[in-house]
C-alpha cells in the first residue's frame, strides 16, 4: 500500500495563487515540450470516471495520461459498481491499483467522500458545483494571449448559478482577476461561493462583483465568457431557460460593451443562437479552440504537480 498524503483538486481554491501559477507555468513548459514529464511511466494507471457525457474532458485526460507515460482507464456510466458499491469502498479499491482518480459527477459531496477515502489524488472532472480543470485551461489561454491574468477584468454572462460561474469566481479570484458575473434573479451564484471568492480576492488583489445587469459586467472587461444555459441534468428546463437567459446572450452588441479586442472564451459545447451568437464564437476575438486544446496541457501539468506534491514524483530531478 503506497504511503503518501495525497493532494486533491476538487474545487478551484484547493490551489493557492502561488500553486495555481506553478501549475500554469508547468502547463506552458509541457505545451512547449509535450514529452517533458512522465510521472506515470511504467506505466501506471489513472482512472477517469464519467457519470455524465464528455468530449473534451475525455479526450484531454486520455491523451494527457498517455503523454505522461500512463494508462488511462476510462469508465463510462453504468460500467463500474459505483452507485451500487459505496464511493468510499470504490476509493479504497482504486487507491490500491491506480495512481490518480479523475471523476465527473453530479454532487460535490461525492468527490469529497472519494477524496476522504483515497490514498491517491482525486481530481474533479466537473461536478454540479464546480469545473476547476476548465478554469485552469481558461487561465492558461488568457496568459498566452494577454500575459499574467492578475489585474485583468473578467466578465461571465448567463447561468450564474452553475459550475462554470462558481469556478470562474473562485479560480479567477485566486488568479487575482476582477471577476464579474451577471445572470438573472434566481440564477445567481451560491452566496457561500461568493463569500469564498471575496476572501480569496482580498488576498490576491482581485475582486468579485455579482449583478443582474449584463452591461455592468461587460463594461471594461478584458475577457468575456459564457456557458450553456442548460447544464447536464437540467434538460427538462430547456424552454424556460431559453426565455429567462435571453438578455444574457453574448452577441456582437454585448462584445462592443467590453474593451476593444476583448477575448471571448467558452468552455464548450456551445449553442450558437442561444448563449452566444455565431458572429462572436466564430469571430476574431474568440479563442475557444486554444481554450479547448489547453485542457490537455493544463491537466497534464495538474496531474504532474499533484503527483509531485503528493510525494510520488520528483519534479526537479525529472528535468
Ligand atoms: N468543456 C468540457 O468540459 O467539455 P466536455 O463536456 O466535452 O468534457
Ligand atoms: N455547465 C455545463 C458545462 C459543460 C462542460 C454543464 O455542466 O453541463
Amino acid at each position: 500500500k503506497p504511503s503518501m498524503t495525497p493532494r486533491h483538486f476538487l474545487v478551484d481554491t484547493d490551489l493557492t495563487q502561488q500553486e495555481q501559477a506553478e501549475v500554469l507555468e508547468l502547463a506552458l513548459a509541457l505545451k512547449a515540450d509535450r514529452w517533458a514529464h512522465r510521472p506515470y511511466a511504467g506505466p501506471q494507471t489513472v482512472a477517469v470516471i464519467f457519470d455524465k457525457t464528455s468530449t473534451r474532458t475525455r479526450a484531454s485526460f486520455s491523451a494527457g495520461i498517455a503523454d505522461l507515460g500512463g494508462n488511462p482507464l476510462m469508465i463510462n456510466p453504468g460500467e463500474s459498481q459505483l452507485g451500487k458499491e459505496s464511493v468510499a469502498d470504490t476509493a479504497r479499491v482504486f487507491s490500491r491499483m491506480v495512481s490518480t482518480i479523475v471523476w465527473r459527477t453530479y454532487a460535490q459531496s461525492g468527490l469529497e467522500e472519494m477524496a476522504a477515502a483515497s490514498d491517491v489524488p482525486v481530481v474533479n472532472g466537473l461536478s454540479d458545483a464546480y469545473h476547476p480543470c476548465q478554469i485552469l485551461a481558461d487561465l492558461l489561454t488568457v496568459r498566452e494571449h494577454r500575459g499574467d491574468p492578475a489585474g485583468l477584468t473578467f466578465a461571465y454572462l448567463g447561468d450564474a448559478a452553475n459550475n462554470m460561474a462558481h469556478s470562474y469566481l473562485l479560480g479567477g479570484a485566486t488568479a487575482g482577476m476582477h471577476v464579474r458575473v451577471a445572470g438573472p434573479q434566481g440564477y445567481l451564484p451560491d452566496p457561500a461561493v461568493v463569500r469564498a471568492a471575496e476572501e480569496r480576492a482580498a488576498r490576491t488583489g482581485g475582486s468579485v462583483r455579482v449583478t443582474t445587469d449584463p452591461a455592468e459586467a461587460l463594461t471594461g472587461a478584458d475577457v468575456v465568457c459564457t456557458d450553456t444555459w442548460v447544464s447536464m441534468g437540467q434538460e427538462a428546463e430547456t424552454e424556460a431557460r431559453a426565455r429567462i437567459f435571453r438578455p444574457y446572450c453574448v452577441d456582437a452588441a454585448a462584445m462592443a460593451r467590453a474593451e476593444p479586442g476583448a477575448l471571448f472564451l467558452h468552455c464548450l459545447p456551445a449553442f450558437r443562437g442561444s448563449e452566444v451568437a455565431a458572429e462572436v464564437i466564430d469571430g476574431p476575438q474568440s479563442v475557444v479552440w486554444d481554450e479547448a486544446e489547453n485542457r490537455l496541457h493544463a491537466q497534464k501539468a495538474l496531474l504532474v504537480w499533484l503527483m509531485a506534491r503528493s510525494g510520488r514524483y520528483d519534479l526537479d530531478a525529472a528535468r
Side-chain angles (χ1 to χ4, degrees):
K1 186 178 177 197
S3 82
M4 62 187 277
T5 310
R7 281 289 300 259
H8 305 296
F9 189 53
L10 308 185
V11 56
D12 306 81
T13 41
D14 283 347
L15 296 178
T16 64
Q17 181 177 30
Q18 165 68 28
E19 291 173 340
Q20 185 192 65
E22 278 174 33
V23 171
L24 296 179
E25 278 296 328
L26 186 55
L28 288 171
L30 283 164
K31 190 168 182 175
D33 179 1
R34 194 164 172 184
W35 316 107
H37 289 283
R38 311 271 291 167
Y40 301 122
Q44 303 176 51
T45 294
V46 175
V48 189
I49 311 164
F50 291 95
D51 295 348
K52 296 172 176 172
T53 50
S54 168
T55 294
R56 278 143 292 270
T57 304
R58 177 187 309 279
S60 56
F61 273 110
S62 185
I65 291 158
D67 286 1
L68 301 175
N71 166 50
L73 168 61
M74 311 302 275
I75 300 171
N76 289 314
E79 285 184 353
S80 74
Q81 309 289 14
L82 192 55
K84 291 179 263 179
E85 191 173 27
S86 75
V87 171
D89 285 356
T90 304
R92 289 178 188 115
V93 172
F94 277 148
S95 287
R96 302 293 182 99
M97 299 181 188
V98 307
S99 304
T100 299
I101 299 167
V102 181
W103 190 14
R104 166 167 288 195
T105 189
Y106 292 88
Q108 185 71 10
S109 57
L111 281 155
E112 286 160 10
E113 234 180 300
M114 183 79 89
S118 176
D119 293 322
V120 300
V122 176
V123 173
N124 182 353
L126 177 148
S127 65
D128 290 342
Y130 309 109
H131 195 2
C133 288
Q134 181 68 53
I135 274 54
L136 290 179
D138 289 25
L139 291 171
L140 184 61
T141 309
V142 170
R143 247 188 102 129
E144 286 179 324
H145 288 271
R146 289 287 183 277
D148 186 354
L152 294 179
T153 298
F154 184 98
Y156 171 90
L157 264 58
D159 181 359
N162 77 3
N163 41 19
M164 287 302 300
H166 285 157
S167 275
Y168 280 134
L169 283 166
L170 296 173
T174 297
M177 297 181 95
H178 303 293
V179 186
R180 299 170 179 179
V181 162
Q185 208 54 254
Y187 297 88
L188 294 173
D190 179 342
V193 173
V194 176
R195 274 196 302 279
E198 284 168 347
E199 278 168 29
R200 188 48 73 94
R203 294 203 223 164
T204 63
S207 67
V208 171
R209 194 188 301 176
V210 176
T211 175
T212 55
D213 178 10
E216 188 186 336
L218 288 165
T219 305
D222 301 297
V223 183
V224 177
C225 68
T226 186
D227 182 22
T228 179
W229 291 339
V230 186
S231 285
M232 290 179 272
Q234 299 171 337
E235 290 76 7
E237 301 167 30
T238 302
E239 276 178 43
R241 284 173 167 266
R243 275 195 307 280
I244 295 163
F245 290 115
R246 175 59 48 201
Y248 300 87
C249 171
V250 179
D251 53 15
M255 288 302 287
R257 291 185 179 275
E259 285 296 293
L263 298 177
F264 174 75
L265 293 176
H266 190 311
C267 69
L268 307 176
F271 301 91
R272 291 169 176 78
S274 292
E275 76 274 8
V276 62
E279 65 206 11
V280 172
I281 194 168
D282 300 320
Q285 289 166 263
S286 171
V287 290
V288 300
W289 311 116
D290 289 346
E291 180 187 6
E293 178 188 336
N294 281 337
R295 291 293 301 279
L296 172 70
H297 310 297
Q299 287 160 192
K300 284 175 65 181
L302 176 72
L303 293 172
V304 171
W305 189 92
L306 290 172
M307 288 296 275
R309 289 304 183 95
S310 301
R312 295 284 296 273
Y313 180 68
D314 188 340
L315 201 45
D316 300 320
R319 273 309 278 179

